[in-house]
Amino acid sequence: MNRPKHGGNPSWAATVAGCPPSLILDFSASISPLGPPSTALAAIKLHIDNLTNYPNPDYPELCQAIAAHHQIPARWVLPGNGAAELLTWAGWEFSKLNTTLLPTPAFGDYWRSLQTFGTRIIPRSMMMDDGEIGDLDFALRHLPTEIPHSLGLIVNNPHNPTGQIWSKETILAYLSEFDLVLVDESFMDFLPPTEQQSLIPFVAQYSNLVILRSLTKFYSLPGLRLGYCIGHPDRLRRWKNWRDPWPVNSLAAAAAIAVLGDTEFERSTWDWLAEARSGLFDGLKQIAGLHPYPGAANFILVRSDRSVTELQTKLLEQHQILIRDCISFPELGDRFFRVAVRTLSENDRLLTALRSVN
């Protein structure tokens, strides 16, 4: 079995660890350990009889629930079969432009989406000469002047894999420079409302702006495959006409409607993450040879003084723990890894294992 390019592959990890996949403690996938919420499970059970019917291809109840959650009109919402499906249609639009800029390191599925349709991509590295990681302004400090028109931009906020959060003002300053800007806010839910830097309130002002969201990470529902985007209704109608009908199954839609109203789960997640992330960051910082980067999401990027491939293998063989190597991010390579923030006891287990093998 080949080394995975993404996190969340306990089957591969189990072949290295020599144990069943169920025994792998997975820190490679940035999924909340608190879910799925009971409201999601109850909604799935309640709507199980809907499996005998096709869902409404317009998903009016789901669109209205998402719209109410963000206080926007429902016509500005398009649900999808995970954020990845909607990213595909964004890739088709980007391919019609002259060039698309991609700050790197970048989530691998951006490359998949853009390259599928032959988009001309200009990577804009965030890496500085001293090997440290810069920010969005550093990556976009000199916009290309040799390209006369039709520029695209993909921004991830909070950024994956660094965890950086950029202010609304930072991103808004670039909107006039591009014909299409996709802001992937898949991890924004992990910030309390007072700390979020979402551009959703600005979509009506900028027809070139599209916001991508995921419901699978915060609510721990990756198997249901559910995401949505927010953008100008004309653009969303085009995307809807391009894709297959019924992309969201009826149980996923029911679960999404339920969790979007689950304010208790939201509060418990924000309370858990603030304590758990702080403790994990401090613990990593105290281990010799490890250099964690502060971030706003439910994961932490770590620079290592030793080979991460070697470290990953030892953690699997000796402790059945899987961390996310960053080999698939060319700018980071074998000296960086990423770990999800999990429960306090699981985080302690990871720290103990890292101290023993480092």
Side-chain angles (χ1 to χ4, degrees), residues 268-288:
S268 63
T269 300
W270 296 326
D271 291 342
W272 150 76
L273 183 57
E275 179 183 6
R277 183 177 56 214
S278 176
L280 180 57
F281 179 87
D282 291 343
L284 289 166
K285 195 173 182 179
Q286 294 170 14
I287 298 176

Side-chain angles (χ1 to χ4, degrees), residues 118-179:
T119 304
R120 183 189 176 197
I121 309 168
I122 295 182
R124 300 302 299 257
S125 179
M126 294 166 54
M127 306 300 293
M128 298 188 289
D129 292 340
D130 61 0
E132 287 300 318
I133 302 174
D135 55 15
L136 183 64
D137 284 334
F138 180 84
L140 301 178
R141 62 196 182 283
H142 300 300
L143 291 179
T145 57
E146 72 277 9
I147 302 171
H149 62 279
S150 71
L151 274 174
L153 174 67
I154 297 181
V155 175
N156 192 200
N157 196 33
H159 183 258
N160 178 15
T162 69
Q164 294 185 51
I165 181 74
W166 297 314
S167 70
K168 296 186 289 285
E169 293 75 17
T170 295
I171 301 176
L172 285 171
Y174 290 102
L175 289 184
S176 62
E177 306 286 342
F178 295 90
D179 295 85

Side-chain angles (χ1 to χ4, degrees), residues 82-103:
E85 187 239 340
L86 297 165
L87 186 58
T88 297
W89 306 122
W92 176 249
E93 287 235 14
F94 279 117
S95 72
K96 306 305 178 184
L97 303 180
N98 185 293
T99 300
T100 293
L101 303 191
L102 183 60

Side-chain angles (χ1 to χ4, degrees), residues 12 44 109 187 191 201 235 269 348:
W12 171 83
I44 291 172
D109 215 39
F187 293 98
L191 282 78
R235 186 185 308 279
T269 300
D348 286 342

Side-chain angles (χ1 to χ4, degrees), residues 204-219:
Q205 300 176 37
Y206 297 93
S207 61
N208 61 331
L209 175 63
V210 178
I211 307 298
L212 187 65
R213 284 285 186 120
S214 170
L215 284 169
T216 61
K217 297 173 175 62
F218 186 85
Y219 297 104

Side-chain angles (χ1 to χ4, degrees), residues 37-321:
S38 59
T39 50
L41 301 179
I44 291 172
K45 183 177 180 180
L46 180 64
H47 291 83
I48 197 72
D49 290 342
N50 289 350
L51 290 177
T52 59
N53 304 310
Y54 286 103
N56 185 326
D58 294 326
Y59 302 99
E61 294 86 0
L62 176 55
C63 289
Q64 186 56 52
I66 296 170
H69 186 70
H70 294 293
Q71 299 179 336
I72 58 174
R75 67 181 184 278
W76 291 77
V77 174
L78 182 67
N81 186 241
E85 187 239 340
L86 297 165
L87 186 58
T88 297
W89 306 122
W92 176 249
E93 287 235 14
F94 279 117
S95 72
K96 306 305 178 184
L97 303 180
N98 185 293
T99 300
T100 293
L101 303 191
L102 183 60
T104 59
F107 177 44
D109 215 39
Y110 301 154
W111 294 97
R112 187 271 310 170
S113 170
L114 296 172
Q115 291 172 339
T116 295
F117 301 108
T119 304
R120 183 189 176 197
I121 309 168
I122 295 182
R124 300 302 299 257
S125 179
M126 294 166 54
M127 306 300 293
M128 298 188 289
D129 292 340
D130 61 0
E132 287 300 318
I133 302 174
D135 55 15
L136 183 64
D137 284 334
F138 180 84
L140 301 178
R141 62 196 182 283
H142 300 300
L143 291 179
T145 57
E146 72 277 9
I147 302 171
H149 62 279
S150 71
L151 274 174
L153 174 67
I154 297 181
V155 175
N156 192 200
N157 196 33
H159 183 258
N160 178 15
T162 69
Q164 294 185 51
I165 181 74
W166 297 314
S167 70
K168 296 186 289 285
E169 293 75 17
T170 295
I171 301 176
L172 285 171
Y174 290 102
L175 289 184
S176 62
E177 306 286 342
F178 295 90
D179 295 85
L180 176 59
V181 177
L182 174 73
V183 181
D184 181 354
E185 296 184 351
S186 291
F187 293 98
M188 192 67 75
D189 287 338
F190 286 99
L191 282 78
T194 56
E195 299 176 20
Q196 291 189 14
Q197 298 295 319
S198 176
L199 292 192
I200 289 176
F202 299 91
V203 171
Q205 300 176 37
Y206 297 93
S207 61
N208 61 331
L209 175 63
V210 178
I211 307 298
L212 187 65
R213 284 285 186 120
S214 170
L215 284 169
T216 61
K217 297 173 175 62
F218 186 85
Y219 297 104
S220 193
L221 296 167
L224 277 185
R225 307 306 310 133
L226 187 65
Y228 59 93
C229 64
I230 296 173
H232 194 281
D234 290 345
R235 186 185 308 279
L236 300 188
R237 277 192 292 269
R238 287 199 302 272
W239 291 17
K240 183 179 177 183
N241 290 333
W242 292 341
R243 67 184 189 176
D244 296 337
W246 312 297
V248 180
N249 70 73
S250 56
L251 297 185
I257 293 170
V259 300
L260 285 170
D262 195 338
T263 56
E264 182 179 347
F265 183 83
E266 288 180 336
R267 286 193 298 269
S268 63
T269 300
W270 296 326
D271 291 342
W272 150 76
L273 183 57
E275 179 183 6
R277 183 177 56 214
S278 176
L280 180 57
F281 179 87
D282 291 343
L284 289 166
K285 195 173 182 179
Q286 294 170 14
I287 298 176
L290 299 185
H291 312 277
Y293 287 81
N298 63 322
F299 55 82
I300 298 174
L301 181 70
V302 184
R303 178 169 55 84
S304 173
D305 290 346
R306 64 184 288 188
S307 165
V308 168
T309 302
E310 175 188 344
L311 179 62
Q312 183 187 58
T313 300
K314 288 187 176 182
L315 285 172
L316 284 170
E317 292 176 343
Q318 299 174 21
H319 300 278
Q320 293 79 52
I321 291 176

